[in-house]
Amino acid sequence: LKHLWIERPERSVRTGFAVNRLDRLSERRDDGAFIDELRCSEGARSLVFAGEVPVLKRRGDAFEPLFTFAEVDGLGIAAEQVFLGHDSTRPFFATLLETQTPEPAQGHRDIVMIDLRSVAMQGLVTPDVLGAFGQAKSLLYWHSRHRFCSNCGAPNRMVAAGWRRVCDVCEAQHFPRTDPVVIMLVVSGNDCLLGRQPGFPAGMYSCLAGFVEAGETCEDAVRREVFEEAGIATGRIAYVASQPWPFPASLMIGCFAEALARELSIDTRELDDARWFSQDEVRLMLARAHPAGVVTPPKLAIAHLLLQEWIAGEIGLNPPR
Ligand SMILES: [Zn+2]
């Protein structure tokens, strides 16, 4: 597993949910006997979800996210169980309970449910486990919403240790989805463009973002979204970093985009506000010291990384064509 433990030089690892050193052993997923053997091995552990919410063991002020399968059985019936990978010491699985509210066996009053955003924001688990939680959440969510064949409508079933569903009626195979989203810091000289979506916490401004559509490159999606939301044409685009975002199953693709204009035309159905911020302002926002109380997204978010890199002068836009 040496390739999984090399020092990762890329910026992506500085975002939440991006560190995941599990060897997914994807070539062994169809070997049911092998997966069963891993599951029955002494070191095997499982993350546990009730609905979309992680289940944790409280240990004083700390939280333990890994359950033995005996402990999992004590929490309720498993609706789905998937294999996440092997960390070179033990295999990791994830369990989705049938119940939304686990009823821990007697003597397990230390069981708590904490939503994954809070687990991430409060740093309740190590970065490695947070990455595995993100992987598990996206995959289990997909299973919970894809119990019927999208081709013929018959009930289908999970195979390949959780990485495929098959329909026994029409033989269609269905694969877990990941939805690409571009998120971009639009820059114009010493200024950058940030906006506010209606659901944002008070005072928070972030990069513009949107789903990549069929038939689009990332660059085209950036240009379309920035023009739709803010009326700004963009020229050069540079990839910066990416981040798995398990709400429910996105891959955030972080870019810089060079603005070709300054005058904003804001789509008020998408954004409450958008405006240009100077580098000095962004420094204050990152430090939570802006006099108007405006702030950047938290460190866990890729928008935070994009702003940090811009402040550090790491723009790296492609040379002009
Ligand atoms: Zn079918």
Side-chain angles (χ1 to χ4, degrees):
L1 305 181
K2 282 206 170 77
H3 69 288
L4 293 165
W5 289 91
I6 58 161
E7 203 56 46
R8 289 161 160 76
E10 63 267 24
R11 295 155 164 139
S12 304
V13 292
R14 287 160 47 195
T15 67
F17 303 105
V19 178
N20 187 333
R21 297 179 196 272
L22 295 179
D23 183 341
R24 298 171 180 229
L25 296 171
S26 54
E27 73 283 7
R28 306 294 301 274
R29 286 171 184 160
D30 280 305
D31 184 344
F34 173 73
I35 298 295
D36 280 346
E37 193 181 309
L38 290 180
R39 191 183 176 286
C40 295
S41 65
E42 200 183 321
R45 294 291 184 275
S46 180
L47 302 172
V48 178
F49 280 82
E52 293 179 44
V53 184
V55 180
L56 302 164
K57 289 177 275 188
R58 192 195 293 278
R59 293 276 181 269
D61 291 338
F63 294 91
E64 169 57 51
L66 300 177
F67 290 77
T68 66
F69 281 98
E71 290 172 324
V72 172
D73 290 342
L75 295 173
I77 297 166
E80 304 286 7
Q81 218 151 48
V82 299
F83 175 59
L84 299 179
H86 203 292
D87 78 346
S88 83
T89 57
R90 60 175 45 152
F92 279 63
F93 291 77
T95 303
L96 176 66
L97 297 174
E98 261 189 2
T99 173
Q100 301 271 327
T101 51
E103 291 180 26
Q106 259 194 336
H108 286 83
R109 295 183 188 282
D110 55 348
I111 300 295
V112 292
M113 291 174 62
I114 303 176
D115 76 274
L116 190 53
R117 275 177 212 267
S118 301
V119 170
M121 290 281 288
Q122 296 169 33
L124 301 186
V125 299
T126 63
D128 280 304
V129 171
L130 189 63
F133 258 131
Q135 179 188 0
K137 181 173 181 293
S138 292
L139 186 57
L140 292 174
Y141 177 89
W142 179 76
H143 283 294
S144 71
R145 300 298 177 103
H146 291 80
R147 299 194 182 286
F148 294 88
C149 176
S150 56
N151 184 48
C152 77
N156 60 15
R157 64 187 169 88
M158 192 188 96
V159 295
W163 293 89
R164 200 165 72 238
R165 296 186 77 88
V166 293
C167 174
D168 293 323
V169 176
C170 76
E171 296 183 352
Q173 301 196 45
H174 305 285
F175 295 88
R177 57 185 283 178
T178 296
D179 300 320
V181 173
V182 284
I183 178 164
M184 46 280 177
L185 186 65
V186 180
V187 297
S188 172
N190 269 332
D191 295 333
C192 74
L193 177 63
L194 300 175
R196 269 189 62 75
Q197 288 174 22
F200 279 6
M204 194 179 95
Y205 278 77
S206 186
C207 301
L208 305 186
F211 286 102
V212 180
E213 294 189 349
E216 265 184 336
T217 61
C218 290
E219 291 87 345
D220 285 341
V222 167
R223 292 195 185 97
R224 175 180 55 75
E225 287 286 345
V226 174
F227 194 76
E228 283 174 5
E229 294 189 1
I232 297 289
T234 46
R236 292 176 293 167
I237 312 283
Y239 168 80
V240 180
S242 62
Q243 174 186 32
W245 189 247
F247 305 100
S250 291
L251 174 67
M252 309 298 287
I253 301 160
C255 300
F256 290 126
E258 173 192 46
L260 298 178
R262 294 278 300 188
E263 194 179 337
L264 300 173
S265 168
I266 298 164
D267 179 354
T268 51
R269 290 165 305 178
E270 298 267 345
L271 296 174
D272 279 350
D273 187 29
R275 67 176 181 89
W276 297 101
F277 289 79
S278 70
Q279 291 211 335
D280 287 342
E281 276 188 287
V282 170
R283 278 192 199 93
L284 292 169
M285 291 165 72
L286 286 165
R288 299 290 188 266
H290 194 288
V294 289
V295 294
T296 64
K299 208 174 166 204
L300 143 93
I302 192 168
H304 191 101
L305 172 76
L306 291 171
L307 287 163
Q308 278 183 325
E309 290 293 291
W310 178 59
I311 291 295
E314 300 289 330
I315 282 286
L317 288 167
N318 298 325
R321 282 155 296 179

